[in-house]
Amino acid sequence: MASQNRTFKTTLAVTMVILLSKLFGFARDVISAGYFGTGMERDAYSSAYTLFYIPVLLFNSCITSTVVPLYVQARNKHSRRLADRFASNCVNIFALLALGVALLMMALAGPLVRITFGGFDQQKQMLTAQLTQIMLPSLSFVVVSIVLSSVLNANERYLSAQLTGFPLTVAVIIATVGFSRQYGIWAVAWGVFAAGVLQMLILLPFANRTMGYSFRLQFNDPQFKRMLVLAVPAILSMAVNELNHIIDKSICSYLNPGDPSAMDYAYRLITFATGVLAVPITTVMFSRLSMHATQGDQKGALGILNQSVEALTIILLPVTLIGCVLATDVIKLAYMHGSFGEDSLRVTSGVFLFYLLGIWGFGLRDMYNRAFHAMQDTRTPMLVACLTVALNVGLNLTLSRVMGVNGLALATTISCMVGAVVLAVMLRKRLGHIGFRKTALELGKVMGAGALCLAAALVLNQIWPQALGKGWVLLRLAGIGCASLLIYVGALVTLRVEQLAFVKGLLLRRRS
């Protein structure tokens, strides 16, 4: 029980840090919407950042899914010195690889933009390429930060590993507010470059106190080879959400002007919600799962997995239901000011609604992926990810013709849910028994409470008059949201959902 209490406190602390980081990030997006709206410059910046983020995403998926379990294994079965040598080798090799990738992409920026965003006109393609070239030199710094964050997580230094979200927000806000009037969107691109450097500088003091760095550059190191074997399939399985979003944006370039920006604003709100509500659970539980898997404790790993699935469902379900009912109010409160007008509101709120339908699937799929990775099985999630991406592409091409940009978001949601279901089935096949019946019973109770929550939100949305000013929109959101949430929590208590009782017990012990 002491271990459970420690897990709860750690998760709560990580949640608070991520919440602050995401709130600052949300403020950054609000400021950007006011300055640039959904115009041509914002489309170009959003697309340039997507190109810059592709190698970041691939490196991140490779590193975070493999470094933690291999570092823990080397430390527990051999020594901390061997684990630190492995981490140092990863830092040096990945920094060198990232530099090579950055130089290559800078040289090929024009063709890459034409291939990825073929629907843009020549002016927008040229601006996108130039902004991409400004951002890319910071890639090595970002990749080193990813390795250091993974090592800190492996040593259960979760809070310091979560600090990397702040530099991007601070740098971009300063660039937007202080320099965009004079230099336009170019200033924001330079802000992204500065943020990459700052991320690494912030993590260095924490990393120096956690690991013993040594200059090593050994591509033939057995641990590094093992990491590459695991990483190749892990890249796709961990990056599937972002890969689908990149595919969405590529197809979106052929739709209406402003649609790429609207999609980007909506998706950032989704990542804000998952980052605050789901990432703390999956981050902490991944390290715990890796430890149990290394020790061969299947029962302990299953307990953590089932507890995480139930917790994610309890947290994400009301967000999905209430958010879908109040999607227009959410976007109105978040972005509607300055250059962000009625047309931007209409398009962005539609995309947001269809993305929001899949937020539960995003969280569950990430949790199941990490369960496989903790067992050092990256092949199975990769195969499921291939299925998910293929399904998303097919649905994109079909639904975008009928629903426009909303169809792209709905395609991502459907493919995500299918991926989560397939992963759950494969996990049950792999382990034989994952406590599915007991978990299904608990999830059924949560769904019943969710139905009451949805009914309350729908009724209140009809009764409560639509609001115009920011203050009235906030009041409407808070009133309907809180009332619906209270009904949801009351139903959970009445139905005696075990996970809710578990959290309540931890809170009572913590107070005492």
Side-chain angles (χ1 to χ4, degrees):
M1 193 58 69
S3 175
Q4 291 177 334
N5 195 20
R6 182 165 62 89
T7 299
F8 174 78
K9 290 181 178 179
T10 303
T11 306
L12 181 62
V14 172
T15 301
M16 294 308 297
V17 174
I18 293 178
L19 175 60
L20 287 174
S21 174
K22 293 296 182 179
L23 284 174
F24 277 102
F26 174 65
R28 175 195 67 216
D29 294 336
V30 170
I31 292 171
S32 177
Y35 274 79
F36 300 105
T38 55
M40 189 271 285
E41 282 193 333
R42 188 59 175 73
D43 280 354
Y45 167 78
S46 155
S47 303
Y49 189 83
T50 296
L51 275 182
F52 165 72
Y53 193 68
I54 288 174
V56 174
L57 173 65
L58 297 178
F59 277 112
N60 184 67
S61 302
C62 168
I63 294 166
T64 57
S65 60
T66 56
V67 167
V68 172
L70 289 176
Y71 184 93
V72 170
Q73 183 182 58
R75 184 189 62 199
N76 292 352
K77 290 190 174 182
H78 300 283
S79 66
R80 176 175 288 276
R81 183 170 177 269
L82 180 63
D84 287 346
R85 289 173 63 186
F86 164 67
S88 299
N89 196 36
C90 288
V91 167
N92 300 326
I93 290 177
F94 280 118
L96 187 62
L97 291 175
L99 178 61
V101 170
L103 292 175
L104 180 62
M105 289 186 67
M106 289 174 69
L108 300 175
L112 286 173
V113 170
R114 287 192 292 272
I115 292 171
T116 309
F117 304 106
F120 287 171
D121 59 33
Q122 185 175 0
Q123 181 185 4
K124 191 182 290 188
Q125 285 183 350
M126 184 180 299
L127 178 58
T128 302
Q130 293 168 341
L131 295 176
T132 304
Q133 289 173 327
I134 293 174
M135 300 177 191
L136 278 169
S138 67
L139 182 62
S140 289
F141 299 99
V142 175
V143 170
V144 170
S145 300
I146 294 170
V147 179
L148 296 180
S149 296
S150 297
V151 174
L152 290 168
N153 282 333
N155 285 281
E156 300 191 25
R157 302 291 190 268
Y158 304 108
L159 297 182
S160 49
Q162 296 299 328
L163 296 176
T164 54
F166 292 99
L168 178 62
T169 295
V170 173
V172 169
I173 287 178
I174 291 175
T176 301
V177 176
F179 301 98
S180 66
R181 295 295 188 194
Q182 184 176 359
Y183 300 104
I185 202 67
W186 302 84
V188 186
W190 281 109
V192 173
F193 167 79
V197 180
L198 290 173
Q199 284 179 0
M200 190 191 74
L201 294 178
I202 285 177
L203 287 181
L204 282 178
F206 300 101
N208 286 334
R209 292 197 293 267
T210 303
M211 61 173 279
Y213 173 80
S214 59
F215 183 77
R216 300 176 60 81
L217 199 66
Q218 296 183 331
F219 288 90
N220 63 345
D221 177 69
Q223 283 286 91
F224 188 76
K225 287 182 176 180
R226 174 62 177 163
M227 190 197 72
L228 291 181
V229 170
L230 295 173
V232 172
I235 287 174
L236 184 56
S237 62
M238 288 299 294
V240 64
N241 281 348
E242 296 293 342
L243 284 175
N244 280 336
H245 183 54
I246 290 169
I247 293 169
D248 293 349
K249 291 187 70 175
S250 178
I251 296 174
C252 190
S253 69
Y254 293 91
L255 301 180
N256 299 321
D259 282 356
S261 293
M263 175 176 286
D264 192 52
Y265 286 129
Y267 190 75
R268 286 179 181 274
L269 276 180
I270 298 299
T271 56
F272 170 81
T274 54
V276 172
L277 301 174
V279 169
I281 296 175
T282 55
T283 299
V284 174
M285 294 307 180
F286 181 43
S287 294
R288 300 277 193 267
L289 281 168
S290 298
M291 291 177 187
H292 284 286
T294 300
Q295 298 166 1
D297 181 10
Q298 180 172 306
K299 183 178 180 181
L302 286 175
I304 290 174
L305 177 63
N306 289 332
Q307 179 184 342
S308 302
V309 169
E310 293 172 21
L312 282 171
T313 305
I314 289 173
I315 293 170
L316 295 178
L317 184 60
V319 173
T320 301
L321 299 176
I322 298 172
C324 285
V325 174
L326 302 174
T328 301
D329 293 281
V330 172
I331 300 301
K332 190 182 296 183
L333 178 66
Y335 297 127
M336 195 169 180
H337 67 289
S339 298
F340 196 96
E342 288 289 343
D343 287 341
S344 299
L345 171 66
R346 176 182 53 80
V347 178
T348 306
S349 59
V351 180
F352 174 68
L353 186 150
F354 287 106
Y355 269 140
L356 192 59
L357 290 172
I359 194 172
W360 182 47
F362 296 156
L364 289 183
R365 188 175 60 188
D366 189 35
M367 191 67 244
Y368 288 136
N369 273 334
R370 289 178 181 271
F372 279 105
H373 293 163
M375 297 182 289
Q376 297 190 22
D377 176 5
T378 55
R379 183 175 179 273
T380 301
M382 179 202 70
L383 295 176
V384 177
C386 289
L387 168 67
T388 303
V389 172
L391 179 61
N392 183 58
V393 172
L395 290 173
N396 271 339
L397 296 176
T398 302
L399 295 177
S400 64
R401 296 175 182 176
V402 180
M403 304 170 59
V405 67
N406 291 341
L408 300 178
L410 180 58
T412 298
T413 288
I414 294 173
S415 61
C416 168
M417 297 299 293
V418 171
V421 171
V422 173
L423 280 171
V425 172
M426 297 296 290
L427 193 60
R428 189 177 190 278
K429 183 178 179 181
R430 168 73 179 270
L431 299 176
H433 175 68
I434 60 175
F436 178 76
R437 291 184 180 178
K438 183 176 181 297
T439 301
L441 177 62
E442 291 301 306
L443 294 182
K445 295 179 183 178
V446 176
M447 293 298 174
L452 294 176
C453 174
L454 176 60
L458 288 171
V459 171
L460 290 172
N461 186 50
Q462 291 295 321
I463 296 174
W464 202 305
Q466 294 292 324
L468 296 177
K470 288 276 187 179
W472 292 110
V473 173
L474 177 60
L475 180 62
R476 188 175 191 272
L477 272 172
I480 297 176
C482 289
S484 303
L485 193 59
L486 283 174
I487 291 174
Y488 176 72
V489 174
L492 292 178
V493 173
T494 303
L495 294 171
R496 298 181 180 180
V497 175
E498 290 187 8
Q499 187 68 17
L500 191 67
F502 170 72
V503 173
K504 181 181 177 182
L506 288 177
L507 288 171
L508 291 175
R509 281 192 298 276
R510 194 164 180 263
R511 289 174 183 173
S512 60

